[in-house]
Amino acid sequence: GPADIATKDAAFILAYAIIMLNTDQHSPQVKSRMKIEHFARNLRNVNDGQDFRAGFLADVYNAIRDREIVFPEEHEGEAGFEFAWREVSAGDSQIGPWASTRGITAEYDRCLLAETWPRLLQALARILTHFNSDQTLRLALSGLHALVASAAHYGLAACVNEAICLLASISGLTNSALHADLSSPQVLFKSYNRYLLLDPESPTSALGIVAEGFAGTEQLAKLQEQEDASVQLTQAALEFGKDYRGQIAFVALIQLALQFPSEIGRQGWQDFLDVVRVAANADLLPRSLLAAQDLLVDNMWVPRISTLQAMDAAQQRIRARLLRAQAGNQAAQQGGGLLSAISSFWGGGGGSSSSGSYSGGGTSSQSPNGRKHELRWRASPDILVSLASRSKVAVQASGIEIIRGLTDKLDSSLPVFLSVLS
């Protein structure tokens, strides 16, 4: 070991004293800090019966006082972020010293940022991906916002687009592995303080009864009531509800799009709209954003996928009955008589009531083909509803409703945005 440490026992005692000094110098609970004299006094006669060299102890003391030792299990807070930043930056040996542009032309600033933004964005991406503490995420997102603001100022659209892509990826909503059930979500309907699984395509489910038994504005009003009384479940919504980092990334994504809309290019808008599209399909968008203007129908809105499925299934059942009625009329004209026509209309006596059932208890329902449907997740319905609700809260907290007026802020990039929409 070092020449200043005589024995292994001395090294062990010194190491313990350093840990105590580190706590003394950097713990917010300690009001009176240890001086160098006290540190040296605690280590008298422990170096094989002798004192440590005064200059050696002074170097140790000053090093601990000026920079806290952060252990792996303590990677939280400001000190944890500083440690994480050093660890992330240590792997890139090509990073040179920071250059100051004070007093230099703006063109030089732009060229410098154009050369360095990929490295900066990569470092911020690694931090946002691997660290969970609030302090770490806050500082990293502040750095990302400053980088995007600078890139927007100097017209570096590639940097802005990459930042949008990064946040879209971290949100988790663009993960295609979570999209398998977006077109076939499950719906939990609350009845007597418990959640029951509802089959949207069943004619005897609450949605099926409304979709088939009402029409016009009355049907739309009752379908809205059914949506308010139920929760749509998808894998994307549930995973997003568990992912705090993803929720923070979503909020940051919306805020960047609202602050720098004119600097976002085609790829950036594509990534942004991919996230919004998944949020819409997963029923995470607020009702105010789903409202639609219609001159003939008041309070028009964009229904859930499950509601559309219920309406489509109802239309198919009505169409099938009409076809059977037409076939019955033809049979009656050919001599089958009235009873034959009625039997044909009701499908041989079974009617639409045999095509499915709505379970009034438990969390299962019966599909039209007789196969039993059960929840795809092992968690209790209450937990699933809580996760889905948490996802909605995160999306609403992002201020996403403001994107209704986004086209007013786009200026020169409006054609790009409209081309992505088309």
Side-chain angles (χ1 to χ4, degrees), residues 390-409:
R390 192 180 304 169
S391 296
K392 277 197 167 186
V393 169
V395 171
Q396 293 175 8
S398 68
I400 194 172
E401 296 96 333
I402 309 177
I403 66 174
R404 269 188 169 275
L406 194 59
T407 53
D408 297 334
K409 302 180 180 180

Side-chain angles (χ1 to χ4, degrees), residues 110 113 143-156 159-160 260:
R110 184 187 186 283
L113 183 61
L144 181 64
H145 184 275
L147 177 62
V148 172
S150 300
H153 176 73
Y154 290 115
L156 301 175
C159 177
V160 180
F260 309 106

Side-chain angles (χ1 to χ4, degrees), residues 94-145:
Q94 298 181 359
I95 295 180
W98 287 99
S100 173
T101 62
R102 183 175 299 172
I104 312 299
T105 63
E107 183 59 29
Y108 179 79
D109 293 349
R110 184 187 186 283
C111 293
L112 181 63
L113 183 61
E115 291 296 323
T116 57
W117 75 257
R119 187 83 37 83
L120 294 172
L121 187 60
Q122 182 183 32
L124 291 169
R126 294 168 67 180
I127 293 174
L128 289 170
T129 303
H130 293 98
F131 297 95
N132 295 315
S133 73
D134 291 341
Q135 178 76 355
T136 302
L137 291 175
R138 182 181 66 81
L139 292 176
L141 287 173
S142 296
L144 181 64
H145 184 275

Side-chain angles (χ1 to χ4, degrees), residues 65-394:
R65 180 196 60 193
D66 297 339
R67 184 173 292 277
E68 179 184 5
I69 298 175
V70 182
F71 297 96
E73 63 272 15
E74 298 174 343
H75 292 176
E76 302 291 341
E78 185 174 356
F81 178 79
E82 296 293 340
F83 176 83
W85 183 264
R86 292 196 302 272
E87 289 294 304
V88 168
S89 303
D92 196 338
S93 59
Q94 298 181 359
I95 295 180
W98 287 99
S100 173
T101 62
R102 183 175 299 172
I104 312 299
T105 63
E107 183 59 29
Y108 179 79
D109 293 349
R110 184 187 186 283
C111 293
L112 181 63
L113 183 61
E115 291 296 323
T116 57
W117 75 257
R119 187 83 37 83
L120 294 172
L121 187 60
Q122 182 183 32
L124 291 169
R126 294 168 67 180
I127 293 174
L128 289 170
T129 303
H130 293 98
F131 297 95
N132 295 315
S133 73
D134 291 341
Q135 178 76 355
T136 302
L137 291 175
R138 182 181 66 81
L139 292 176
L141 287 173
S142 296
L144 181 64
H145 184 275
L147 177 62
V148 172
S150 300
H153 176 73
Y154 290 115
L156 301 175
C159 177
V160 180
N161 288 340
E162 286 295 324
I164 294 293
C165 178
L166 168 66
L167 292 174
S169 176
I170 295 176
S171 74
L173 292 177
T174 57
N175 183 0
S176 58
L178 305 179
H179 298 171
D181 62 347
L182 285 179
S183 60
S184 57
Q186 291 192 312
V187 180
L188 289 178
F189 184 82
K190 192 168 187 179
S191 176
Y192 298 103
N193 296 322
R194 58 185 304 193
Y195 287 98
L196 310 175
L197 183 60
L198 181 149
D199 182 4
E201 299 183 358
S202 171
T204 56
S205 69
L207 274 176
I209 292 172
V210 171
E212 191 169 348
F214 298 88
T217 56
E218 186 178 11
Q219 180 195 61
L220 295 178
K222 288 187 175 296
L223 286 175
Q224 279 191 344
E225 293 176 2
Q226 293 299 317
E227 287 194 358
D228 292 338
S230 59
V231 179
Q232 181 173 283
L233 302 179
T234 61
Q235 191 65 33
L238 297 179
E239 291 299 325
F240 186 67
K242 295 186 291 185
D243 187 4
Y244 174 70
R245 189 204 325 271
Q247 296 167 19
I248 294 297
F250 182 90
V251 173
L253 170 67
I254 300 301
Q255 293 301 313
L256 286 183
L258 294 174
Q259 292 182 37
F260 309 106
S262 297
E263 288 74 23
I264 300 176
R266 180 181 180 85
Q267 186 57 51
W269 282 122
Q270 184 67 60
D271 294 330
F272 175 84
L273 291 175
D274 285 345
V275 171
V276 174
R277 191 176 296 114
V278 174
N281 291 338
D283 190 38
L284 301 181
L285 298 184
R287 176 63 60 83
S288 59
L289 196 58
L290 298 175
Q293 297 293 331
D294 193 297
L295 296 177
L296 300 178
V297 180
D298 294 332
N299 300 323
M300 187 62 184
W301 91 110
V302 179
R304 291 174 180 167
I305 290 180
S306 54
T307 302
L308 293 174
Q309 289 174 339
M311 297 172 70
D312 183 62
Q315 289 297 321
Q316 291 182 21
R317 289 192 296 270
I318 293 173
R319 191 179 301 115
R321 285 204 298 271
L322 291 176
L323 291 175
R324 288 196 296 269
Q326 292 175 1
N329 291 335
Q330 293 175 0
Q333 293 173 3
Q334 296 173 3
L338 180 61
L339 292 178
S340 177
I342 295 175
S343 176
S344 177
F345 178 80
W346 290 114
S352 61
S353 62
S354 65
S355 61
S357 62
Y358 173 60
S359 174
T363 56
S364 64
S365 64
Q366 200 75 15
S367 67
N369 56 18
R371 291 180 302 180
K372 191 174 183 180
H373 283 290
E374 294 184 350
L375 278 173
R376 300 174 187 138
W377 302 274
R378 294 182 179 274
S380 69
D382 289 333
I383 293 178
L384 297 174
V385 170
S386 175
L387 290 175
S389 301
R390 192 180 304 169
S391 296
K392 277 197 167 186
V393 169

